Amino acid sequence: MFIIKIKSFLENGFLIFDGAMGTMLQKKGLKIGEIPEMYNMLYPDIIEEIHRVYIKAGADIITTNTFGANEIKLKDSKYEVEDIIQSAVEIAKKAAGDNYVALDLGPIGKLLEPTGDISFERAYNIFKRQVVAGVKAGCDAILIETFSDIYEAKAAILAAKENSSVPVFCTMTFNEDKRTLMGTDPLTMVNILQGLGVDALGINCSLGPKEIMPIVSEILKYSSIPVMVQPNAGLPKVVDGKTVYGINEIEFSDYIIKMAKEGALIFGGCCGTNEKYIKQIKKELTNINPIKLVEKNISAVSSSTKTVVLGNEVKIIGERINPTGKKKFKEALKNSDINYIINEALKQKESGADILDVNVGLPEIDEIQIMKKAIKNIQEIVELPLQIDSSDYEVIENAVRIYNGKPIINSVNGKESSMEKIFPIAKKYGALIVALTLDEKGIPLKAIDRFNIAKKIIKTAEEYGIKRENILIDCLVLTASAQQNEVLETLKAVKMVKDKLKVNTVLGVSNVSFGLPNRENLNKTFLAMALMQGLDAPIINPLSSEIMGTINAFKVLANQDKESSNYVAIYSSGKVSENKKQEKLETEIIKKNNLKEIVIKGLKEEAKEETKKLLKEIDSLRIVDEYLIPGLDIVGDDYEKGDIFLPQLINSAETVKNSFNVIKENMKNNNEKSISKGKIILATVKGDVHDIGKNIVKVLLENYGYEIIDLGKDVPIEKIVKTVKNENIKLVGLSALMTTTVISMKETINALKANNIKCKIMVGGAVLNQEYADMIGADFYAKDAREAVKIAGTVQYR
């Protein structure tokens, strides 16, 4: 098996992948607009020759020419996905000889829900089709590369793991701010991908090796599995009408050696590299001994953009998304009213929760569907990681499958039947587990017996391949009103588990006070006692100022809040009185938000209702100017500062869209003139079939009040010129993702100028920068959608 060979490679040396396919195909005559994957059918000799060149240069494993061979990108092709993949694998195997072949899977080319319109299940099936074809053709491994969305990467990994037994590698593409386009940071990537069981992870494309180095260093800090690096050959430039890259194979190799000395084990090249780069790194790596892998043992839970590390300081798990004892919540669940849950999530986040427990268990509802709906909606609004809470293992499996990140499962216990159901789920999806110290005999009264159950659970989990850092032990809080003697036994058990088993601990604190008056007093006192015994993650109500006060004070006294900075920030700014106000809202379903706050929070349904109310009081333009645009501006500023990421930015834009739709309908009914700040054309240039970036810009511009004429992708130059003339357009936005099509962008700009069209041109795309934009004659460079909005605001449209 190749997996055994990989381990052998990495114990004794490095694993070398090939370099770029696109660069080589361009040299062989690939024209702008041609689909590289079609060469497998039309010119197999060319593909074979490229593979052989890389093998000769020293590559141990070559990737098939299938990066974009999915059913969406090939929908207009006369060949089926299976035909192209089979041909690609056969060509690669013929060229590889005794070396290995990895099936190359690139992104689908569209955004997944809720940011886009492709469901997780649809994405999985697209990748499954590719995987099945590749395995049937005989690939030795699967390389999932150049992903900017961790959710899409999860779909691809599951498709690979569930439909093959070959090793799976996964690399993502990052910006210089150490985040992917969708906001994932290196720690979060490692935590999620490692949990999903990939054989190696890392970074490819993105940038040159110099710019990639700080990101690789951070990945190496967290990863316990081999790290893979495939940089571009520096940053691209246009010289004499051709795209060239910034560094040669010698400089490229120098950076690769530095990464190898830090601990990276798998190398190759991406855009702009060729066989010279592979030959040079192969040569230089023969003089270096690989760094042995070290287990990092990080206990962490993640959403797609935020990771919470457990064990270093107290982390708060919010308990309020649970119908137990909540009549209004139960009614909301029966009516599939997700707004209640969203608002509870927001209130807990604003009050200081680090993780949110989500329980929607009611016998009279479809718990699986409601849980999936709740998770999707919460993750759209709140970036906090989630703890999925159910007594039904089918609910848990369905939930963790569609969860975007690495969740906590609440819960498993010491019963054999419970462990047999939950452990395979936790292992497959890489989730953490809350483990309850009870078994077939119930909850033991004594601490030692709960400790022994915890020990048994950990031992059994490890037999399933689940590491102890992914286990949180809950020693179970009993009520002081009924079992007063056992309260201290819980605390003793926490200390024993923490000291002897070296795992993190969790407790549902409020259970202690059931049936007694002044429950808050008991809860905060018990919490303080438990924290002193080693409690890591209390499940509490973060809207309680007394509970939060206990935790904030403990962090100071336990030297977790360094220099008391957080404590001072909270208690010197009046935040405490705000917390007390929030406590009074505990029985309310929805906090009152004005429309601007609704936009900031991304509450789509509330936007419609609030807009309808405002239209009874003020005119449409005032709503736009005083609520919608200021709200979007705040969100945009937060995006620029890195406080939020693209999914939240788009969600707020879509919230504005809901409001605009209400406004437009109202204006139509009243025969009013529609609102438009001006017309803008957007187009992905000739030869480029990627439109994710363009579509993101479109969403944001539309919701700032601009009328967008979207010409689509692979747009002929003549069509752009003609439309600009006919529509009297003052601003044109051109997009290109591939270095080969930046030339089309330049030709489009030249054509607009040659026709004496008085319009401004902004350009954007992954391969562009300000220098590039200046070089091709653009008026503006839009590094992202937010920048495009700013540019649009500087143009005169009349």
Side-chain angles (χ1 to χ4, degrees):
M1 288 287 289
F2 182 47
I3 186 66
I4 298 171
K5 291 282 189 181
I6 284 180
K7 290 178 180 175
S8 175
F9 262 118
L10 301 177
E11 285 171 6
N12 303 298
F14 299 93
L15 187 63
I16 309 298
F17 272 71
D18 52 9
M21 174 61 73
T23 304
M24 306 292 267
L25 283 176
Q26 287 164 35
K27 290 179 183 177
K28 300 291 184 182
L30 179 71
K31 296 182 178 62
I32 290 175
E34 285 190 310
I35 299 172
E37 292 77 15
M38 296 301 290
Y39 270 50
N40 297 315
M41 310 301 294
L42 303 174
Y43 311 110
D45 291 347
I46 291 177
I47 302 299
E48 183 181 341
E49 183 185 344
I50 292 170
H51 288 324
R52 287 189 184 280
V53 166
Y54 279 126
I55 290 291
K56 186 178 179 182
D60 303 306
I61 178 168
I62 54 175
T63 50
T64 57
N65 180 35
T66 55
F67 181 81
N70 66 65
E71 62 192 56
I72 289 182
K73 289 184 178 177
L74 296 174
K75 63 181 173 60
D76 297 324
S77 168
K78 65 179 180 179
Y79 299 105
E80 295 292 334
V81 168
E82 290 77 6
D83 298 328
I84 289 174
I85 289 178
Q86 177 159 344
S87 178
V89 175
E90 288 174 353
I91 295 165
K93 286 177 75 70
K94 184 178 176 184
D98 294 332
N99 295 87
Y100 300 98
V101 171
L103 175 70
D104 194 11
L105 300 184
I108 293 167
K110 290 184 175 291
L111 293 172
L112 268 62
E113 294 174 346
T115 311
D117 56 5
I118 297 288
S119 70
F120 182 80
E121 293 82 2
R122 173 84 198 282
Y124 170 86
N125 286 322
I126 289 169
F127 291 122
K128 177 182 176 180
R129 185 176 176 187
Q130 294 171 273
V131 168
V132 169
V135 170
K136 184 179 178 183
C139 68
D140 301 299
I142 295 170
L143 174 61
I144 297 162
E145 65 170 345
T146 326
F147 279 64
S148 58
D149 183 354
I150 195 81
Y151 200 33
E152 187 180 10
K154 177 177 179 176
I157 291 164
L158 288 176
K161 301 281 285 183
E162 292 178 353
N163 297 283
S164 79
S165 57
V166 300
V168 178
F169 303 78
C170 184
T171 56
M172 298 193 73
T173 179
F174 287 79
N175 302 320
E176 284 193 79
D177 63 359
K178 297 185 181 180
R179 294 271 181 174
T180 70
L181 175 69
M182 301 302 285
T184 300
D185 60 279
L187 170 57
T188 299
M189 179 195 76
V190 171
N191 197 42
I192 295 169
L193 298 188
Q194 197 165 265
L196 287 168
V198 298
D199 296 283
L201 56 79
I203 179 171
N204 81 298
C205 203
S206 310
L207 307 156
K210 178 183 178 181
E211 296 79 17
I212 270 180
M213 273 205 68
I215 304 169
V216 173
S217 297
E218 196 160 338
I219 292 170
L220 287 165
K221 272 169 55 179
Y222 307 122
S223 181
S224 299
I225 63 175
V227 170
M228 178 175 182
V229 189
Q230 290 188 294
N232 291 339
L235 301 175
K237 296 179 180 180
V238 173
V239 178
D240 297 329
K242 294 182 179 179
T243 302
V244 297
Y245 283 81
I247 65 173
N248 62 27
E249 64 271 19
I250 305 297
E251 190 177 354
F252 185 89
S253 177
D254 289 343
Y255 285 109
I256 294 294
I257 299 309
K258 290 176 184 176
M259 295 181 214
K261 288 179 177 177
E262 283 193 31
L265 292 170
I266 305 173
F267 298 101
C270 208
C271 300
T273 61
N274 55 37
E275 76 276 11
K276 293 179 183 178
Y277 291 77
I278 302 307
K279 185 176 182 179
Q280 185 66 25
I281 65 175
K282 180 79 169 185
K283 173 187 168 186
E284 295 298 327
L285 286 171
T286 56
N287 302 317
I288 296 173
N289 292 321
I291 303 295
K292 297 290 183 184
L293 289 169
V294 177
E295 288 285 338
K296 305 305 191 299
N297 302 320
I298 297 170
S299 179
V301 56
S302 298
S303 67
S304 65
T305 59
K306 185 178 182 64
T307 292
V308 174
V309 178
L310 300 160
N312 298 327
E313 65 173 25
V314 179
K315 297 298 181 185
I316 298 160
I317 303 175
E319 69 179 7
R320 291 180 56 84
I321 303 176
N322 190 319
T324 303
K326 299 184 181 78
K327 184 179 178 182
K328 289 181 179 178
F329 192 177
K330 289 178 180 177
E331 288 302 314
L333 289 176
K334 290 174 188 175
N335 296 324
S336 295
D337 177 11
I338 298 298
N339 276 349
Y340 184 106
I341 294 174
I342 290 172
N343 279 279
E344 285 293 353
L346 280 167
K347 285 191 284 185
Q348 291 183 97
K349 173 199 166 184
E350 291 164 3
S351 299
D354 299 296
I355 301 162
L356 300 180
D357 185 85
V358 181
N359 184 316
V360 295
L362 275 186
E364 56 265 62
I365 67 168
D366 184 339
E367 190 181 349
I368 289 176
Q369 293 308 314
I370 295 296
M371 177 64 91
K372 288 168 69 174
K373 187 176 180 182
I375 287 170
K376 288 178 179 179
N377 280 269
I378 292 170
Q379 290 206 288
E380 189 175 9
I381 303 291
V382 177
E383 79 280 8
L384 300 183
L386 302 184
Q387 175 169 285
I388 294 161
D389 187 352
S390 178
S391 57
D392 186 332
Y393 77 95
E394 290 185 353
V395 172
I396 287 172
E397 173 141 38
N398 276 273
V400 297
R401 186 174 184 84
I402 58 94
Y403 177 79
N404 189 0
K406 177 173 181 171
I408 302 173
I409 291 172
N410 187 12
S411 59
V412 71
N413 60 56
K415 295 178 182 177
E416 293 296 333
S417 59
S418 175
M419 292 189 285
E420 286 171 3
K421 287 187 173 87
I422 299 299
F423 284 155
I425 299 171
K427 172 61 178 171
K428 178 177 180 179
Y429 297 102
L432 286 82
I433 318 165
V434 171
L436 311 179
T437 55
L438 64 86
D439 59 14
E440 287 81 359
K441 297 177 184 176
I443 303 173
L445 299 181
K446 296 296 182 183
I448 185 61
D449 297 318
R450 296 188 213 178
F451 170 81
N452 286 333
I453 293 174
K455 195 174 178 181
K456 180 182 81 169
I457 293 171
I458 292 168
K459 181 177 182 293
T460 308
E462 289 177 334
E463 290 169 0
Y464 277 85
I466 298 168
K467 297 177 180 178
R468 61 179 54 211
E469 60 259 31
N470 287 327
I471 302 170
L472 309 171
I473 297 294
D474 185 341
C475 292
L476 296 170
V477 177
L478 301 177
T479 59
S481 60
Q483 292 175 285
Q484 196 167 1
N485 291 337
E486 281 67 57
V487 171
L488 290 180
E489 291 298 314
T490 296
L491 299 178
K492 289 177 190 174
V494 169
K495 183 167 177 57
M496 290 172 70
V497 164
K498 191 70 183 170
D499 291 348
K500 295 181 180 180
L501 298 179
K502 308 297 183 187
V503 294
N504 290 309
T505 57
V506 61
L507 285 176
V509 171
S510 61
N511 292 345
V512 76
S513 63
F514 281 135
L516 291 171
N518 196 355
R519 293 187 61 190
E520 203 77 338
N521 193 40
L522 288 167
N523 290 345
K524 71 174 184 178
T525 305
F526 178 74
L527 172 61
M529 295 167 72
L531 292 171
M532 281 301 297
Q533 300 308 309
L535 175 61
D536 296 290
I539 303 173
I540 60 164
N541 173 15
L543 272 65
S544 164
S545 61
E546 293 194 34
I547 289 289
M548 293 301 290
T550 299
I551 289 173
N552 293 330
F554 176 81
K555 285 184 176 181
V556 171
L557 302 176
N559 198 28
Q560 294 179 3
D561 182 1
K562 300 299 180 183
E563 299 180 358
S564 308
S565 56
N566 187 58
Y567 188 87
V568 171
I570 292 171
Y571 293 97
S572 63
S573 65
K575 189 172 179 181
V576 170
S577 59
E578 191 60 35
N579 277 350
K580 287 181 178 176
K581 289 177 190 174
Q582 284 183 316
E583 273 188 275
K584 295 177 184 178
L585 296 170
E586 284 195 35
T587 57
E588 294 184 14
I589 296 177
I590 296 174
K591 288 164 63 180
K592 179 65 176 171
N593 294 303
N594 69 33
L595 186 56
K596 185 168 83 170
E597 290 167 339
I598 286 168
V599 169
I600 294 167
K601 292 175 180 177
L603 303 174
K604 295 177 188 173
E605 292 304 311
E606 288 186 29
K608 296 177 186 176
E609 298 308 314
E610 188 64 19
T611 303
K612 289 175 184 175
K613 291 178 186 175
L614 282 173
L615 282 168
K616 296 175 182 176
E617 303 168 10
I618 60 177
D619 64 45
S620 302
L621 279 174
R622 274 190 65 191
I623 293 174
V624 173
D625 292 339
E626 295 179 16
Y627 293 92
L628 300 183
I629 300 305
L632 268 184
D633 282 341
I634 291 170
V635 173
D637 290 343
D638 287 344
Y639 174 75
E640 287 187 339
K641 289 184 290 187
D643 294 336
I644 64 167
F645 306 102
L646 186 61
Q648 291 82 27
L649 179 66
I650 292 179
N651 187 50
S652 287
E654 292 290 350
T655 302
V656 170
K657 185 177 182 178
N658 279 4
S659 182
F660 260 125
N661 288 341
V662 173
I663 290 170
K664 287 174 184 175
E665 186 65 27
N666 183 73
M667 296 179 88
K668 181 181 175 183
N669 292 338
N670 294 326
N671 295 316
E672 296 177 36
K673 186 180 178 182
S674 63
I675 298 171
S676 175
K677 290 187 174 183
K679 289 182 183 178
I680 299 173
I681 278 180
L682 294 180
T684 301
V685 297
K686 177 66 180 172
D688 203 313
V689 295
H690 301 87
D691 62 356
I692 285 179
K694 172 181 67 63
N695 292 345
I696 291 167
V697 171
K698 177 184 176 182
V699 167
L700 209 57
L701 285 172
E702 280 183 335
N703 294 304
Y704 265 89
Y706 296 98
E707 184 181 344
I708 304 303
I709 300 173
D710 184 358
L711 298 181
K713 54 193 177 184
D714 190 17
V715 185
I717 293 171
E718 315 79 61
K719 183 176 181 180
I720 295 173
V721 171
K722 183 180 178 182
T723 310
V724 172
K725 280 183 176 179
N726 291 346
E727 297 289 339
N728 192 26
I729 299 297
K730 301 303 181 185
L731 178 61
V732 178
L734 301 177
S735 173
L737 184 70
M738 305 182 326
T739 53
T740 52
T741 54
V742 177
I743 305 303
S744 279
M745 188 177 272
K746 183 179 181 183
E747 289 171 355
T748 304
I749 292 170
N750 290 343
L752 287 167
K753 291 181 177 179
N755 280 270
N756 294 315
I757 295 173
K758 304 299 181 186
C759 70
K760 297 293 184 180
I761 302 162
M762 67 175 171
V763 297
V767 295
L768 289 163
N769 52 37
Q770 186 64 56
E771 183 183 356
Y772 231 43
D774 294 341
M775 211 176 295
I776 62 177
D779 297 294
F780 306 103
Y781 164 61
K783 63 183 175 66
D784 54 33
R786 169 67 169 154
E787 187 67 25
V789 170
K790 289 183 177 180
I791 291 166
T794 67
V795 175
Q796 293 293 323
Y797 296 91
R798 292 178 179 82

